[in-house]
Amino acid sequence: MATHNYYTDCHKGRYNLLHPEKYMPNLPMPYYKSAWERKFFIVCDTNPRITFWAYEPKVFEIPYMSPKYGRVSIYHPDIYLEILPEGATKVNRWLIEVQPTSYAVQPKMPQPPKAGADSAAFERYNKRKANYDQKVMDVIVNLAKWEAASEWCKVHGVNWFIATEKNTGKLFDASTIISKCNLRNNFER
């Protein structure tokens, strides 16, 4: 039985770089998995303060203990970028995860059918419950990844940020991202 991935949408594709000189060499062209992620690529590619960036660079391998598998796994954050603040001579390095806020919040448990409900109601409930269980595990895994990334960044002198729809606005103005990144180094739980 095929499972539905509730995180994906129909906006996927290869992003064509406008400024390939800013993109990390030896990486394939970035592939966005949502319209929102594509907007983030546009910001990285076109903002003059962002001097260098990469999508899922494999050079940043962050080990974390996977709660799902009970073993050490490797996490690759979505974006690496270097920002040159106005008037500065040294760039700020960032690892950024682009995620909806819902990826960090436990979902609401579905209500079981009332006593005497027919078998179709129980079948629908079982599907909702399986979906709920998957979402809970996804959130737990994400939190483990992000905690490991936060610690890794502290050790390596890189800033860590989780870009959500609540803390980056509409992503059309990179100054929004830059100002938010300067205000927050770690994700909020």
Side-chain angles (χ1 to χ4, degrees):
M1 180 172 131
T3 59
H4 174 67
N5 186 341
Y6 66 100
Y7 290 139
T8 59
D9 62 21
C10 61
H11 302 285
K12 298 178 182 181
R14 189 85 38 217
Y15 176 74
N16 293 319
L17 296 165
L18 300 172
H19 299 281
E21 70 281 2
K22 291 173 53 170
Y23 194 70
M24 185 178 275
N26 302 323
L27 279 183
M29 297 282 276
Y31 185 87
Y32 55 89
K33 298 176 190 116
S34 68
W36 186 47
E37 199 169 62
R38 182 179 178 272
K39 291 175 187 177
F40 203 97
F41 291 176
I42 292 168
V43 169
C44 291
D45 197 16
T46 61
N47 187 284
R49 297 255 175 252
I50 298 174
T51 60
F52 186 76
W53 72 287
Y55 177 67
E56 292 183 346
K58 303 301 183 217
V59 296
F60 298 103
E61 292 192 341
I62 300 173
Y64 73 99
M65 180 56 74
S66 172
K68 185 173 186 174
Y69 301 112
R71 67 175 192 257
V72 174
S73 294
I74 299 298
Y75 167 52
H76 300 278
D78 288 337
I79 305 284
Y80 169 75
L81 59 83
E82 295 176 358
I83 299 172
L84 183 61
E86 191 170 340
T89 57
K90 184 179 175 190
V91 297
N92 292 330
R93 300 180 320 143
W94 291 89
L95 281 178
I96 298 174
E97 183 67 24
V98 179
Q99 295 283 351
T101 303
S102 63
Y103 280 43
V105 177
Q106 291 294 349
K108 185 177 177 183
M109 182 177 238
Q111 294 296 318
K114 296 185 188 225
D118 63 1
S119 62
F122 281 97
E123 189 175 310
R124 286 190 305 273
Y125 168 74
N126 287 335
K127 287 181 182 180
R128 286 193 314 271
K129 178 70 167 75
N131 191 24
Y132 164 81
D133 291 342
Q134 180 61 50
K135 289 178 184 179
V136 167
M137 181 53 68
D138 290 347
V139 169
I140 291 169
V141 169
N142 281 337
L143 293 175
K145 288 178 184 179
W146 300 340
E147 184 65 30
S150 177
E151 292 302 314
W152 186 94
C153 286
K154 287 177 189 173
V155 169
H156 292 88
V158 177
N159 297 292
W160 169 246
F161 186 68
I162 298 175
T164 70
E165 72 281 4
K166 292 186 177 183
N167 64 15
T168 56
K170 295 183 180 179
L171 295 177
F172 290 115
D173 179 8
S175 63
T176 301
I177 295 169
I178 293 168
S179 67
K180 295 290 183 183
C181 288
N182 288 335
L183 292 174
R184 295 183 183 144
N185 284 335
N186 296 311
F187 63 94
E188 298 175 350
R189 289 188 189 198

